[in-house]
Amino acid sequence: MDHAADAHRTDLMTITRHVLNEQTKYPESRGDFTILLNHIVLGCKFVCSSVSKAGLAKLFGLAGETNIQGEEQKKLDVLSNEVFVKALISSGRTCLLVSEEDEEAIFVDQSKRGKYIVVFDPLDGSSNIDCGVSIGTIFGIYMVKHKDNPTIDDVLQPGNNLIAAGYSMYGSSCTLVLSTGSGVNGFTLDPYLGEFILTHPDIKIPKKGKIYSVNEGNAKNWDEPTRKFVEKCKFPTDGSPPKSLRYIGSMVADVHRTLLYGGIFLYPADKKSPNGKLRVLYEVFPMSYLMEQAGGQAFTGKQRALDLVPGKIHERSPVFLGSYDDVEEIKALYAAAGAAK
């Protein structure tokens, strides 16, 4: 990338301009989706601003409540959730919201109801807030069947039915990665313009990577296919160099690195968490959607991740996602284990 030339660019592709360009491909479009995305972007900007000054604003630490997952809520978690819920409802384009922080789904009042369902984790990796590690927001968007009468079944759809997904990462810079079904694009917030600028057009994950990302502290509880795969990463038998381990513990940061550099991110089931720990609707599905759009794969240990049909809004699942060839390897190990039974 020619950074010197980029510094003098005047024809900037903002995220709004990019989405409007996509909109022109659909003559029947009325701009509702663009308006919804603008409200999501506004929420990301607000949270980014809050994260950057959290220490000064005394937003670090615990809020004194516990969320539906049994995790102690951080002050920033609570703030981020409020920001996104209000931004999404005020867009007038949503009818049903599912947040990691709320036990029940939120049904939007009839007067402000639209045709979209948004599932989101307002602040993923929030246990890392106090030590300055990158954290982020994850979201997915579905279309409702009947906007006048949405039900909880409308959100319990397979990830295949997503019409868009993305995440915003709050770190050394604020990055927003988005797919609306035709590839993946990355945008970086210019703090002086207050705009997300296209910096990573048409992201493609390498077919095979040199990095694996997993919490090896859980290794004693892993199943045999996961154990064999990680062993192969460290001690390859085909003469290839071993893979490097990189694990941040913040899903957005780990997946972002995997998307750009290739490799595999694993959060397997284990004896302590037989159903995995990551939530299907607002963690597994959006990230799996982005991986597939970028040319990678996502697998649960039993099936393609996006084929999963959740039975409840906070359902959990194992996931293996990343470079196509790396995920093929773990799929082969699970297939062999299944055949041996």
Side-chain angles (χ1 to χ4, degrees), residues 21-245:
N21 284 354
E22 290 292 307
Q23 184 184 307
T24 60
K25 297 175 184 175
Y26 305 94
E28 72 283 3
S29 175
R30 294 171 49 226
D32 289 345
F33 184 67
T34 304
I35 291 168
L36 173 60
L37 276 176
N38 275 338
H39 279 73
I40 291 173
V41 167
L42 178 63
C44 293
K45 288 178 184 176
F46 188 99
V47 174
C48 178
S49 172
S50 299
V51 167
S52 66
K53 61 191 180 194
L56 297 171
K58 294 185 167 37
L59 288 168
F60 286 154
L62 300 175
E65 297 179 15
T66 302
N67 69 4
I68 177 58
Q69 314 305 334
E71 301 161 339
E72 289 181 306
Q73 284 182 305
K74 299 280 185 170
K75 292 177 185 177
L76 263 177
D77 283 24
V78 179
L79 175 69
S80 302
N81 192 48
E82 286 178 8
V83 165
F84 276 101
V85 168
K86 288 175 180 174
L88 291 166
I89 291 174
S90 67
S91 73
R93 302 301 184 275
T94 59
C95 59
L96 183 55
L97 310 177
V98 173
S99 166
E100 189 213 19
E101 299 295 334
D102 294 316
E103 183 172 358
E104 304 291 339
I106 299 168
F107 289 88
V108 178
D109 186 82
Q110 182 87 38
S111 62
K112 296 178 180 175
R113 196 171 285 172
K115 60 184 178 182
Y116 296 107
I117 297 167
V118 183
V119 294
F120 61 101
D121 183 345
L123 205 62
D124 180 74
S126 54
S127 60
N128 291 311
I129 291 170
D130 291 6
C131 60
V133 168
S134 293
I135 51 182
T137 298
I138 310 171
F139 62 89
I141 303 172
Y142 290 100
M143 187 87 78
V144 73
K145 294 185 184 82
H146 307 289
K147 79 168 188 178
D148 294 328
N149 188 30
T151 68
I152 203 68
D153 288 337
D154 283 313
V155 79
L156 298 176
Q157 304 184 45
N160 266 333
N161 294 351
L162 282 166
I163 60 170
Y167 60 82
S168 185
M169 184 175 72
Y170 316 116
S172 55
S173 60
C174 181
T175 306
L176 195 150
V177 175
L178 174 70
S179 175
T180 56
S182 52
V184 181
N185 291 282
F187 304 82
T188 304
L189 182 64
D190 184 324
Y192 299 102
L193 293 175
E195 291 278 6
F196 279 101
I197 308 298
L198 181 64
T199 50
H200 297 77
D202 195 23
I203 296 170
K204 295 294 182 194
I205 186 169
K207 198 155 186 291
K208 189 173 180 66
K210 299 175 181 176
I211 296 170
Y212 73 103
S213 184
V214 66
N215 182 357
E216 290 214 48
N218 294 327
K220 74 170 188 173
N221 296 316
W222 287 344
D223 61 17
E224 193 65 10
T226 302
R227 191 191 61 74
K228 280 184 176 177
F229 179 80
V230 172
E231 189 75 5
K232 190 177 175 187
C233 288
K234 294 193 280 192
F235 305 102
T237 55
D238 59 1
S240 61
K243 291 185 187 294
S244 297
L245 170 65

